[in-house]
PDB file of all heavy atoms in Angstrom:
ATOM      1  N   PRO A   1     107.558  73.860 136.969  1.00 94.00           N
ATOM      2  CA  PRO A   1     108.668  74.052 137.911  1.00 94.00           C
ATOM      3  C   PRO A   1     110.059  73.836 137.323  1.00 94.00           C
ATOM      4  O   PRO A   1     111.011  74.487 137.738  1.00 94.00           O
ATOM      5  CB  PRO A   1     108.392  73.034 139.016  1.00 94.00           C
ATOM      6  CG  PRO A   1     106.930  72.779 138.957  1.00 94.00           C
ATOM      7  CD  PRO A   1     106.551  72.926 137.510  1.00 94.00           C
ATOM      8  N   ASP A   2     110.187  72.935 136.350  1.00 94.00           N
ATOM      9  CA  ASP A   2     111.536  72.672 135.834  1.00 94.00           C
ATOM     10  C   ASP A   2     111.778  73.267 134.449  1.00 94.00           C
ATOM     11  O   ASP A   2     112.842  73.081 133.883  1.00 94.00           O
ATOM     12  CB  ASP A   2     111.831  71.168 135.808  1.00 94.00           C
ATOM     13  CG  ASP A   2     111.024  70.417 134.765  1.00 94.00           C
ATOM     14  OD1 ASP A   2     109.946  70.901 134.384  1.00 94.00           O
ATOM     15  OD2 ASP A   2     111.481  69.356 134.330  1.00 94.00           O
ATOM     16  N   LYS A   3     110.796  73.982 133.910  1.00 91.00           N
ATOM     17  CA  LYS A   3     110.965  74.533 132.574  1.00 91.00           C
ATOM     18  C   LYS A   3     110.852  76.047 132.520  1.00 91.00           C
ATOM     19  O   LYS A   3     111.364  76.664 131.602  1.00 91.00           O
ATOM     20  CB  LYS A   3     109.937  73.922 131.626  1.00 91.00           C
ATOM     21  CG  LYS A   3     110.148  72.449 131.383  1.00 91.00           C
ATOM     22  CD  LYS A   3     109.032  71.868 130.527  1.00 91.00           C
ATOM     23  CE  LYS A   3     109.167  70.388 130.363  1.00 91.00           C
ATOM     24  NZ  LYS A   3     109.006  69.624 131.580  1.00 91.00           N
ATOM     25  N   GLY A   4     110.151  76.627 133.438  1.00 94.00           N
ATOM     26  CA  GLY A   4     109.883  78.063 133.360  1.00 94.00           C
ATOM     27  C   GLY A   4     108.573  78.298 132.633  1.00 94.00           C
ATOM     28  O   GLY A   4     107.660  77.477 132.684  1.00 94.00           O
ATOM     29  N   THR A   5     108.499  79.411 131.919  1.00 96.00           N
ATOM     30  CA  THR A   5     107.241  79.829 131.292  1.00 96.00           C
ATOM     31  C   THR A   5     107.361  79.801 129.779  1.00 96.00           C
ATOM     32  O   THR A   5     108.321  80.303 129.209  1.00 96.00           O
ATOM     33  CB  THR A   5     106.870  81.258 131.748  1.00 96.00           C
ATOM     34  OG1 THR A   5     106.827  81.285 133.174  1.00 96.00           O
ATOM     35  CG2 THR A   5     105.512  81.675 131.206  1.00 96.00           C
ATOM     36  N   GLU A   6     106.351  79.213 129.146  1.00 95.00           N
ATOM     37  CA  GLU A   6     106.254  79.235 127.690  1.00 95.00           C
ATOM     38  C   GLU A   6     104.865  79.728 127.320  1.00 95.00           C
ATOM     39  O   GLU A   6     103.935  79.681 128.116  1.00 95.00           O
ATOM     40  CB  GLU A   6     106.525  77.861 127.079  1.00 95.00           C
ATOM     41  CG  GLU A   6     105.537  76.798 127.479  1.00 95.00           C
ATOM     42  CD  GLU A   6     105.887  75.419 126.922  1.00 95.00           C
ATOM     43  OE1 GLU A   6     106.531  75.344 125.870  1.00 95.00           O
ATOM     44  OE2 GLU A   6     105.498  74.431 127.549  1.00 95.00           O
ATOM     45  N   MET A   7     104.738  80.214 126.093  1.00 96.00           N
ATOM     46  CA  MET A   7     103.454  80.712 125.617  1.00 96.00           C
ATOM     47  C   MET A   7     102.830  79.665 124.702  1.00 96.00           C
ATOM     48  O   MET A   7     103.477  79.164 123.782  1.00 96.00           O
ATOM     49  CB  MET A   7     103.646  82.019 124.833  1.00 96.00           C
ATOM     50  CG  MET A   7     102.367  82.636 124.296  1.00 96.00           C
ATOM     51  SD  MET A   7     101.222  83.262 125.554  1.00 96.00           S
ATOM     52  CE  MET A   7     102.122  84.691 126.158  1.00 96.00           C
ATOM     53  N   CYS A   8     101.578  79.355 124.955  1.00 95.00           N
ATOM     54  CA  CYS A   8     100.805  78.489 124.075  1.00 95.00           C
ATOM     55  C   CYS A   8      99.926  79.397 123.211  1.00 95.00           C
ATOM     56  O   CYS A   8      99.139  80.184 123.739  1.00 95.00           O
ATOM     57  CB  CYS A   8      99.926  77.543 124.890  1.00 95.00           C
ATOM     58  SG  CYS A   8      98.684  76.673 123.901  1.00 95.00           S
ATOM     59  N   LEU A   9     100.104  79.322 121.896  1.00 96.00           N
ATOM     60  CA  LEU A   9      99.192  80.013 120.987  1.00 96.00           C
ATOM     61  C   LEU A   9      97.929  79.162 120.977  1.00 96.00           C
ATOM     62  O   LEU A   9      97.906  78.081 120.397  1.00 96.00           O
ATOM     63  CB  LEU A   9      99.798  80.134 119.591  1.00 96.00           C
ATOM     64  CG  LEU A   9      99.038  81.001 118.592  1.00 96.00           C
ATOM     65  CD1 LEU A   9      99.956  81.454 117.467  1.00 96.00           C
ATOM     66  CD2 LEU A   9      97.792  80.358 118.054  1.00 96.00           C
ATOM     67  N   TYR A  10      96.913  79.638 121.661  1.00 96.00           N
ATOM     68  CA  TYR A  10      95.712  78.836 121.866  1.00 96.00           C
ATOM     69  C   TYR A  10      94.813  78.832 120.642  1.00 96.00           C
ATOM     70  O   TYR A  10      94.294  77.793 120.248  1.00 96.00           O
ATOM     71  CB  TYR A  10      94.967  79.348 123.098  1.00 96.00           C
ATOM     72  CG  TYR A  10      93.784  78.499 123.479  1.00 96.00           C
ATOM     73  CD1 TYR A  10      93.975  77.254 124.074  1.00 96.00           C
ATOM     74  CD2 TYR A  10      92.490  78.922 123.241  1.00 96.00           C
ATOM     75  CE1 TYR A  10      92.893  76.461 124.417  1.00 96.00           C
ATOM     76  CE2 TYR A  10      91.405  78.134 123.577  1.00 96.00           C
ATOM     77  CZ  TYR A  10      91.612  76.904 124.167  1.00 96.00           C
ATOM     78  OH  TYR A  10      90.544  76.113 124.493  1.00 96.00           O
ATOM     79  N   GLU A  11      94.601  80.007 120.059  1.00 96.00           N
ATOM     80  CA  GLU A  11      93.721  80.074 118.899  1.00 96.00           C
ATOM     81  C   GLU A  11      94.064  81.279 118.045  1.00 96.00           C
ATOM     82  O   GLU A  11      94.387  82.343 118.559  1.00 96.00           O
ATOM     83  CB  GLU A  11      92.256  80.163 119.348  1.00 96.00           C
ATOM     84  CG  GLU A  11      91.276  79.974 118.233  1.00 96.00           C
ATOM     85  CD  GLU A  11      89.859  79.690 118.726  1.00 96.00           C
ATOM     86  OE1 GLU A  11      89.686  79.278 119.889  1.00 96.00           O
ATOM     87  OE2 GLU A  11      88.937  79.877 117.932  1.00 96.00           O
ATOM     88  N   LEU A  12      93.999  81.096 116.743  1.00 97.00           N
ATOM     89  CA  LEU A  12      94.227  82.155 115.762  1.00 97.00           C
ATOM     90  C   LEU A  12      93.066  82.135 114.789  1.00 97.00           C
ATOM     91  O   LEU A  12      92.668  81.069 114.313  1.00 97.00           O
ATOM     92  CB  LEU A  12      95.542  81.922 115.009  1.00 97.00           C
ATOM     93  CG  LEU A  12      95.849  82.862 113.843  1.00 97.00           C
ATOM     94  CD1 LEU A  12      96.145  84.273 114.354  1.00 97.00           C
ATOM     95  CD2 LEU A  12      97.028  82.332 113.041  1.00 97.00           C
ATOM     96  N   SER A  13      92.516  83.304 114.493  1.00 97.00           N
ATOM     97  CA  SER A  13      91.399  83.384 113.560  1.00 97.00           C
ATOM     98  C   SER A  13      91.497  84.687 112.782  1.00 97.00           C
ATOM     99  O   SER A  13      91.767  85.743 113.354  1.00 97.00           O
ATOM    100  CB  SER A  13      90.066  83.337 114.316  1.00 97.00           C
ATOM    101  OG  SER A  13      88.979  83.554 113.442  1.00 97.00           O
ATOM    102  N   VAL A  14      91.265  84.600 111.476  1.00 97.00           N
ATOM    103  CA  VAL A  14      91.189  85.787 110.625  1.00 97.00           C
ATOM    104  C   VAL A  14      89.872  85.699 109.859  1.00 97.00           C
ATOM    105  O   VAL A  14      89.549  84.659 109.276  1.00 97.00           O
ATOM    106  CB  VAL A  14      92.388  85.869 109.649  1.00 97.00           C
ATOM    107  CG1 VAL A  14      92.239  87.074 108.715  1.00 97.00           C
ATOM    108  CG2 VAL A  14      93.700  85.956 110.421  1.00 97.00           C
ATOM    109  N   ASP A  15      89.120  86.789 109.888  1.00 96.00           N
ATOM    110  CA  ASP A  15      87.855  86.849 109.172  1.00 96.00           C
ATOM    111  C   ASP A  15      88.092  86.513 107.701  1.00 96.00           C
ATOM    112  O   ASP A  15      89.070  86.948 107.099  1.00 96.00           O
ATOM    113  CB  ASP A  15      87.258  88.253 109.308  1.00 96.00           C
ATOM    114  CG  ASP A  15      85.913  88.374 108.632  1.00 96.00           C
ATOM    115  OD1 ASP A  15      84.891  88.109 109.279  1.00 96.00           O
ATOM    116  OD2 ASP A  15      85.902  88.750 107.437  1.00 96.00           O
ATOM    117  N   GLU A  16      87.177  85.741 107.131  1.00 94.00           N
ATOM    118  CA  GLU A  16      87.345  85.271 105.758  1.00 94.00           C
ATOM    119  C   GLU A  16      87.622  86.402 104.762  1.00 94.00           C
ATOM    120  O   GLU A  16      88.441  86.262 103.858  1.00 94.00           O
ATOM    121  CB  GLU A  16      86.099  84.489 105.330  1.00 94.00           C
ATOM    122  CG  GLU A  16      86.300  83.722 104.054  1.00 94.00           C
ATOM    123  CD  GLU A  16      85.152  82.775 103.757  1.00 94.00           C
ATOM    124  OE1 GLU A  16      84.517  82.273 104.705  1.00 94.00           O
ATOM    125  OE2 GLU A  16      84.897  82.559 102.564  1.00 94.00           O
ATOM    126  N   GLY A  17      86.990  87.537 104.937  1.00 94.00           N
ATOM    127  CA  GLY A  17      87.182  88.661 104.021  1.00 94.00           C
ATOM    128  C   GLY A  17      88.539  89.333 104.132  1.00 94.00           C
ATOM    129  O   GLY A  17      88.890  90.165 103.282  1.00 94.00           O
ATOM    130  N   TYR A  18      89.321  88.979 105.158  1.00 94.00           N
ATOM    131  CA  TYR A  18      90.627  89.609 105.376  1.00 94.00           C
ATOM    132  C   TYR A  18      91.788  88.619 105.243  1.00 94.00           C
ATOM    133  O   TYR A  18      92.929  88.962 105.540  1.00 94.00           O
ATOM    134  CB  TYR A  18      90.670  90.246 106.761  1.00 94.00           C
ATOM    135  CG  TYR A  18      89.735  91.422 106.904  1.00 94.00           C
ATOM    136  CD1 TYR A  18      88.467  91.263 107.445  1.00 94.00           C
ATOM    137  CD2 TYR A  18      90.120  92.693 106.489  1.00 94.00           C
ATOM    138  CE1 TYR A  18      87.605  92.331 107.576  1.00 94.00           C
ATOM    139  CE2 TYR A  18      89.265  93.771 106.621  1.00 94.00           C
ATOM    140  CZ  TYR A  18      88.006  93.586 107.157  1.00 94.00           C
ATOM    141  OH  TYR A  18      87.157  94.657 107.278  1.00 94.00           O
ATOM    142  N   ARG A  19      91.506  87.415 104.798  1.00 92.00           N
ATOM    143  CA  ARG A  19      92.560  86.405 104.711  1.00 92.00           C
ATOM    144  C   ARG A  19      93.522  86.681 103.562  1.00 92.00           C
ATOM    145  O   ARG A  19      93.205  87.383 102.625  1.00 92.00           O
ATOM    146  CB  ARG A  19      91.936  85.009 104.571  1.00 92.00           C
ATOM    147  CG  ARG A  19      91.229  84.607 105.851  1.00 92.00           C
ATOM    148  CD  ARG A  19      90.660  83.224 105.788  1.00 92.00           C
ATOM    149  NE  ARG A  19      89.959  82.957 107.045  1.00 92.00           N
ATOM    150  CZ  ARG A  19      89.053  82.028 107.194  1.00 92.00           C
ATOM    151  NH1 ARG A  19      88.755  81.232 106.190  1.00 92.00           N
ATOM    152  NH2 ARG A  19      88.460  81.867 108.358  1.00 92.00           N
ATOM    153  N   ARG A  20      94.720  86.090 103.684  1.00 90.00           N
ATOM    154  CA  ARG A  20      95.788  86.183 102.685  1.00 90.00           C
ATOM    155  C   ARG A  20      96.326  87.603 102.533  1.00 90.00           C
ATOM    156  O   ARG A  20      96.745  88.018 101.462  1.00 90.00           O
ATOM    157  CB  ARG A  20      95.340  85.606 101.347  1.00 90.00           C
ATOM    158  CG  ARG A  20      94.891  84.148 101.477  1.00 90.00           C
ATOM    159  CD  ARG A  20      94.817  83.378 100.206  1.00 90.00           C
ATOM    160  NE  ARG A  20      96.005  83.428  99.382  1.00 90.00           N
ATOM    161  CZ  ARG A  20      97.123  82.715  99.554  1.00 90.00           C
ATOM    162  NH1 ARG A  20      97.215  81.889 100.553  1.00 90.00           N
ATOM    163  NH2 ARG A  20      98.127  82.826  98.726  1.00 90.00           N
ATOM    164  N   ARG A  21      96.308  88.339 103.654  1.00 91.00           N
ATOM    165  CA  ARG A  21      96.851  89.700 103.674  1.00 91.00           C
ATOM    166  C   ARG A  21      97.947  89.855 104.726  1.00 91.00           C
ATOM    167  O   ARG A  21      98.387  90.957 104.999  1.00 91.00           O
ATOM    168  CB  ARG A  21      95.744  90.707 103.962  1.00 91.00           C
ATOM    169  CG  ARG A  21      94.656  90.737 102.930  1.00 91.00           C
ATOM    170  CD  ARG A  21      93.672  91.822 103.248  1.00 91.00           C
ATOM    171  NE  ARG A  21      92.502  91.758 102.400  1.00 91.00           N
ATOM    172  CZ  ARG A  21      91.550  92.664 102.408  1.00 91.00           C
ATOM    173  NH1 ARG A  21      91.619  93.699 103.219  1.00 91.00           N
ATOM    174  NH2 ARG A  21      90.516  92.546 101.618  1.00 91.00           N
ATOM    175  N   GLY A  22      98.337  88.754 105.369  1.00 93.00           N
ATOM    176  CA  GLY A  22      99.394  88.823 106.370  1.00 93.00           C
ATOM    177  C   GLY A  22      98.912  89.090 107.789  1.00 93.00           C
ATOM    178  O   GLY A  22      99.723  89.267 108.694  1.00 93.00           O
ATOM    179  N   ILE A  23      97.619  89.107 107.996  1.00 96.00           N
ATOM    180  CA  ILE A  23      97.080  89.405 109.328  1.00 96.00           C
ATOM    181  C   ILE A  23      97.395  88.278 110.305  1.00 96.00           C
ATOM    182  O   ILE A  23      97.812  88.525 111.431  1.00 96.00           O
ATOM    183  CB  ILE A  23      95.572  89.699 109.254  1.00 96.00           C
ATOM    184  CG1 ILE A  23      95.349  91.009 108.479  1.00 96.00           C
ATOM    185  CG2 ILE A  23      94.951  89.777 110.650  1.00 96.00           C
ATOM    186  CD1 ILE A  23      93.899  91.315 108.167  1.00 96.00           C
ATOM    187  N   GLY A  24      97.213  87.031 109.886  1.00 95.00           N
ATOM    188  CA  GLY A  24      97.528  85.897 110.766  1.00 95.00           C
ATOM    189  C   GLY A  24      98.994  85.885 111.153  1.00 95.00           C
ATOM    190  O   GLY A  24      99.342  85.659 112.313  1.00 95.00           O
ATOM    191  N   ARG A  25      99.866  86.128 110.183  1.00 95.00           N
ATOM    192  CA  ARG A  25     101.313  86.186 110.453  1.00 95.00           C
ATOM    193  C   ARG A  25     101.620  87.319 111.426  1.00 95.00           C
ATOM    194  O   ARG A  25     102.368  87.136 112.391  1.00 95.00           O
ATOM    195  CB  ARG A  25     102.074  86.389 109.144  1.00 95.00           C
ATOM    196  CG  ARG A  25     103.569  86.498 109.323  1.00 95.00           C
ATOM    197  CD  ARG A  25     104.251  86.705 107.945  1.00 95.00           C
ATOM    198  NE  ARG A  25     105.676  86.828 108.090  1.00 95.00           N
ATOM    199  CZ  ARG A  25     106.314  87.967 108.326  1.00 95.00           C
ATOM    200  NH1 ARG A  25     105.643  89.100 108.445  1.00 95.00           N
ATOM    201  NH2 ARG A  25     107.630  87.986 108.454  1.00 95.00           N
ATOM    202  N   ALA A  26     101.039  88.491 111.193  1.00 96.00           N
ATOM    203  CA  ALA A  26     101.289  89.642 112.068  1.00 96.00           C
ATOM    204  C   ALA A  26     100.800  89.365 113.494  1.00 96.00           C
ATOM    205  O   ALA A  26     101.477  89.721 114.466  1.00 96.00           O
ATOM    206  CB  ALA A  26     100.611  90.892 111.504  1.00 96.00           C
ATOM    207  N   LEU A  27      99.642  88.730 113.633  1.00 97.00           N
ATOM    208  CA  LEU A  27      99.133  88.398 114.964  1.00 97.00           C
ATOM    209  C   LEU A  27     100.036  87.392 115.664  1.00 97.00           C
ATOM    210  O   LEU A  27     100.325  87.515 116.854  1.00 97.00           O
ATOM    211  CB  LEU A  27      97.704  87.852 114.865  1.00 97.00           C
ATOM    212  CG  LEU A  27      96.612  88.890 114.647  1.00 97.00           C
ATOM    213  CD1 LEU A  27      95.335  88.226 114.153  1.00 97.00           C
ATOM    214  CD2 LEU A  27      96.364  89.688 115.919  1.00 97.00           C
ATOM    215  N   THR A  28     100.502  86.389 114.913  1.00 96.00           N
ATOM    216  CA  THR A  28     101.394  85.378 115.485  1.00 96.00           C
ATOM    217  C   THR A  28     102.693  86.018 115.955  1.00 96.00           C
ATOM    218  O   THR A  28     103.171  85.744 117.063  1.00 96.00           O
ATOM    219  CB  THR A  28     101.672  84.270 114.453  1.00 96.00           C
ATOM    220  OG1 THR A  28     100.420  83.670 114.068  1.00 96.00           O
ATOM    221  CG2 THR A  28     102.582  83.205 115.009  1.00 96.00           C
ATOM    222  N   LEU A  29     103.259  86.900 115.141  1.00 96.00           N
ATOM    223  CA  LEU A  29     104.500  87.587 115.526  1.00 96.00           C
ATOM    224  C   LEU A  29     104.272  88.523 116.713  1.00 96.00           C
ATOM    225  O   LEU A  29     105.142  88.644 117.585  1.00 96.00           O
ATOM    226  CB  LEU A  29     105.072  88.345 114.336  1.00 96.00           C
ATOM    227  CG  LEU A  29     105.617  87.459 113.212  1.00 96.00           C
ATOM    228  CD1 LEU A  29     105.941  88.293 111.978  1.00 96.00           C
ATOM    229  CD2 LEU A  29     106.835  86.675 113.685  1.00 96.00           C
ATOM    230  N   ALA A  30     103.109  89.172 116.759  1.00 97.00           N
ATOM    231  CA  ALA A  30     102.800  90.054 117.898  1.00 97.00           C
ATOM    232  C   ALA A  30     102.699  89.242 119.189  1.00 97.00           C
ATOM    233  O   ALA A  30     103.160  89.685 120.249  1.00 97.00           O
ATOM    234  CB  ALA A  30     101.498  90.820 117.640  1.00 97.00           C
ATOM    235  N   LEU A  31     102.112  88.047 119.117  1.00 97.00           N
ATOM    236  CA  LEU A  31     102.041  87.188 120.302  1.00 97.00           C
ATOM    237  C   LEU A  31     103.439  86.727 120.706  1.00 97.00           C
ATOM    238  O   LEU A  31     103.765  86.700 121.893  1.00 97.00           O
ATOM    239  CB  LEU A  31     101.122  85.992 120.050  1.00 97.00           C
ATOM    240  CG  LEU A  31     100.914  85.077 121.254  1.00 97.00           C
ATOM    241  CD1 LEU A  31     100.227  85.815 122.412  1.00 97.00           C
ATOM    242  CD2 LEU A  31     100.108  83.845 120.857  1.00 97.00           C
ATOM    243  N   ALA A  32     104.273  86.392 119.724  1.00 96.00           N
ATOM    244  CA  ALA A  32     105.652  85.990 120.028  1.00 96.00           C
ATOM    245  C   ALA A  32     106.416  87.139 120.684  1.00 96.00           C
ATOM    246  O   ALA A  32     107.176  86.921 121.639  1.00 96.00           O
ATOM    247  CB  ALA A  32     106.359  85.525 118.762  1.00 96.00           C
ATOM    248  N   ASP A  33     106.207  88.353 120.213  1.00 96.00           N
ATOM    249  CA  ASP A  33     106.849  89.520 120.836  1.00 96.00           C
ATOM    250  C   ASP A  33     106.386  89.686 122.276  1.00 96.00           C
ATOM    251  O   ASP A  33     107.181  89.985 123.172  1.00 96.00           O
ATOM    252  CB  ASP A  33     106.540  90.795 120.045  1.00 96.00           C
ATOM    253  CG  ASP A  33     107.282  90.873 118.721  1.00 96.00           C
ATOM    254  OD1 ASP A  33     108.246  90.108 118.512  1.00 96.00           O
ATOM    255  OD2 ASP A  33     106.877  91.711 117.887  1.00 96.00           O
ATOM    256  N   GLU A  34     105.098  89.504 122.500  1.00 96.00           N
ATOM    257  CA  GLU A  34     104.547  89.607 123.861  1.00 96.00           C
ATOM    258  C   GLU A  34     105.125  88.507 124.740  1.00 96.00           C
ATOM    259  O   GLU A  34     105.468  88.744 125.898  1.00 96.00           O
ATOM    260  CB  GLU A  34     103.018  89.520 123.823  1.00 96.00           C
ATOM    261  CG  GLU A  34     102.355  89.670 125.168  1.00 96.00           C
ATOM    262  CD  GLU A  34     102.514  91.041 125.809  1.00 96.00           C
ATOM    263  OE1 GLU A  34     102.633  92.035 125.082  1.00 96.00           O
ATOM    264  OE2 GLU A  34     102.504  91.102 127.067  1.00 96.00           O
ATOM    265  N   ALA A  35     105.244  87.297 124.201  1.00 95.00           N
ATOM    266  CA  ALA A  35     105.826  86.189 124.962  1.00 95.00           C
ATOM    267  C   ALA A  35     107.263  86.518 125.374  1.00 95.00           C
ATOM    268  O   ALA A  35     107.659  86.289 126.517  1.00 95.00           O
ATOM    269  CB  ALA A  35     105.785  84.901 124.140  1.00 95.00           C
ATOM    270  N   LYS A  36     108.023  87.053 124.443  1.00 96.00           N
ATOM    271  CA  LYS A  36     109.407  87.431 124.740  1.00 96.00           C
ATOM    272  C   LYS A  36     109.456  88.512 125.820  1.00 96.00           C
ATOM    273  O   LYS A  36     110.246  88.423 126.765  1.00 96.00           O
ATOM    274  CB  LYS A  36     110.101  87.916 123.471  1.00 96.00           C
ATOM    275  CG  LYS A  36     111.557  88.236 123.667  1.00 96.00           C
ATOM    276  CD  LYS A  36     112.222  88.628 122.366  1.00 96.00           C
ATOM    277  CE  LYS A  36     113.691  88.915 122.604  1.00 96.00           C
ATOM    278  NZ  LYS A  36     114.375  89.308 121.360  1.00 96.00           N
ATOM    279  N   ALA A  37     108.587  89.508 125.694  1.00 96.00           N
ATOM    280  CA  ALA A  37     108.542  90.593 126.686  1.00 96.00           C
ATOM    281  C   ALA A  37     108.168  90.072 128.070  1.00 96.00           C
ATOM    282  O   ALA A  37     108.598  90.632 129.082  1.00 96.00           O
ATOM    283  CB  ALA A  37     107.545  91.668 126.242  1.00 96.00           C
ATOM    284  N   ARG A  38     107.406  88.994 128.129  1.00 95.00           N
ATOM    285  CA  ARG A  38     106.988  88.409 129.403  1.00 95.00           C
ATOM    286  C   ARG A  38     108.016  87.417 129.955  1.00 95.00           C
ATOM    287  O   ARG A  38     107.799  86.820 130.988  1.00 95.00           O
ATOM    288  CB  ARG A  38     105.645  87.700 129.230  1.00 95.00           C
ATOM    289  CG  ARG A  38     104.497  88.645 128.984  1.00 95.00           C
ATOM    290  CD  ARG A  38     103.249  87.876 128.604  1.00 95.00           C
ATOM    291  NE  ARG A  38     102.120  88.770 128.473  1.00 95.00           N
ATOM    292  CZ  ARG A  38     100.956  88.606 129.087  1.00 95.00           C
ATOM    293  NH1 ARG A  38     100.759  87.572 129.876  1.00 95.00           N
ATOM    294  NH2 ARG A  38      99.989  89.472 128.906  1.00 95.00           N
ATOM    295  N   GLY A  39     109.099  87.199 129.222  1.00 95.00           N
ATOM    296  CA  GLY A  39     110.145  86.300 129.692  1.00 95.00           C
ATOM    297  C   GLY A  39     109.930  84.837 129.355  1.00 95.00           C
ATOM    298  O   GLY A  39     110.591  83.963 129.936  1.00 95.00           O
ATOM    299  N   CYS A  40     109.048  84.537 128.424  1.00 95.00           N
ATOM    300  CA  CYS A  40     108.824  83.147 128.026  1.00 95.00           C
ATOM    301  C   CYS A  40     110.050  82.624 127.282  1.00 95.00           C
ATOM    302  O   CYS A  40     110.678  83.353 126.522  1.00 95.00           O
ATOM    303  CB  CYS A  40     107.597  83.038 127.117  1.00 95.00           C
ATOM    304  SG  CYS A  40     106.028  83.461 127.924  1.00 95.00           S
ATOM    305  N   TYR A  41     110.360  81.357 127.476  1.00 93.00           N
ATOM    306  CA  TYR A  41     111.510  80.761 126.796  1.00 93.00           C
ATOM    307  C   TYR A  41     111.149  80.258 125.408  1.00 93.00           C
ATOM    308  O   TYR A  41     112.022  79.973 124.589  1.00 93.00           O
ATOM    309  CB  TYR A  41     112.136  79.637 127.618  1.00 93.00           C
ATOM    310  CG  TYR A  41     111.301  78.385 127.750  1.00 93.00           C
ATOM    311  CD1 TYR A  41     111.344  77.397 126.776  1.00 93.00           C
ATOM    312  CD2 TYR A  41     110.475  78.190 128.848  1.00 93.00           C
ATOM    313  CE1 TYR A  41     110.578  76.246 126.893  1.00 93.00           C
ATOM    314  CE2 TYR A  41     109.707  77.049 128.972  1.00 93.00           C
ATOM    315  CZ  TYR A  41     109.763  76.083 127.996  1.00 93.00           C
ATOM    316  OH  TYR A  41     108.999  74.945 128.109  1.00 93.00           O
ATOM    317  N   GLY A  42     109.860  80.139 125.102  1.00 93.00           N
ATOM    318  CA  GLY A  42     109.423  79.669 123.799  1.00 93.00           C
ATOM    319  C   GLY A  42     107.929  79.825 123.636  1.00 93.00           C
ATOM    320  O   GLY A  42     107.229  80.250 124.566  1.00 93.00           O
ATOM    321  N   MET A  43     107.464  79.489 122.443  1.00 95.00           N
ATOM    322  CA  MET A  43     106.036  79.543 122.148  1.00 95.00           C
ATOM    323  C   MET A  43     105.719  78.336 121.271  1.00 95.00           C
ATOM    324  O   MET A  43     106.535  77.932 120.439  1.00 95.00           O
ATOM    325  CB  MET A  43     105.701  80.835 121.394  1.00 95.00           C
ATOM    326  CG  MET A  43     104.229  81.030 121.136  1.00 95.00           C
ATOM    327  SD  MET A  43     103.829  82.706 120.552  1.00 95.00           S
ATOM    328  CE  MET A  43     103.959  82.482 118.784  1.00 95.00           C
ATOM    329  N   TRP A  44     104.543  77.758 121.461  1.00 93.00           N
ATOM    330  CA  TRP A  44     104.153  76.591 120.674  1.00 93.00           C
ATOM    331  C   TRP A  44     102.670  76.640 120.335  1.00 93.00           C
ATOM    332  O   TRP A  44     101.905  77.381 120.949  1.00 93.00           O
ATOM    333  CB  TRP A  44     104.496  75.294 121.408  1.00 93.00           C
ATOM    334  CG  TRP A  44     103.715  75.083 122.671  1.00 93.00           C
ATOM    335  CD1 TRP A  44     103.994  75.599 123.908  1.00 93.00           C
ATOM    336  CD2 TRP A  44     102.516  74.331 122.815  1.00 93.00           C
ATOM    337  NE1 TRP A  44     103.034  75.196 124.810  1.00 93.00           N
ATOM    338  CE2 TRP A  44     102.121  74.416 124.158  1.00 93.00           C
ATOM    339  CE3 TRP A  44     101.744  73.584 121.931  1.00 93.00           C
ATOM    340  CZ2 TRP A  44     100.981  73.791 124.645  1.00 93.00           C
ATOM    341  CZ3 TRP A  44     100.607  72.950 122.421  1.00 93.00           C
ATOM    342  CH2 TRP A  44     100.244  73.053 123.761  1.00 93.00           C
TER     343      TRP A  44
END
């Protein structure tokens, strides 16, 4: 009620064979973009 809406990044997972290719970063940024589009004031 006194803060508005924020996004909680609940879980992030990248298959072992695809790690260290920027997929986790891209997913995190995509979630942040979605949070912004939904009017969230932040993400944690």
Side-chain angles (χ1 to χ4, degrees):
D2 69 336
K3 293 175 184 66
T5 305
E6 63 184 332
M7 180 67 70
C8 168
L9 188 159
Y10 186 74
E11 191 165 340
L12 174 69
S13 174
V14 177
D15 182 89
E16 192 171 330
Y18 293 96
R19 292 183 182 160
R20 303 197 51 80
R21 298 184 189 186
I23 293 172
R25 178 180 179 273
L27 283 163
T28 301
L29 291 170
L31 183 63
D33 287 345
E34 182 66 29
K36 184 176 181 180
R38 291 171 175 232
C40 295
Y41 69 85
M43 184 168 91
W44 66 277

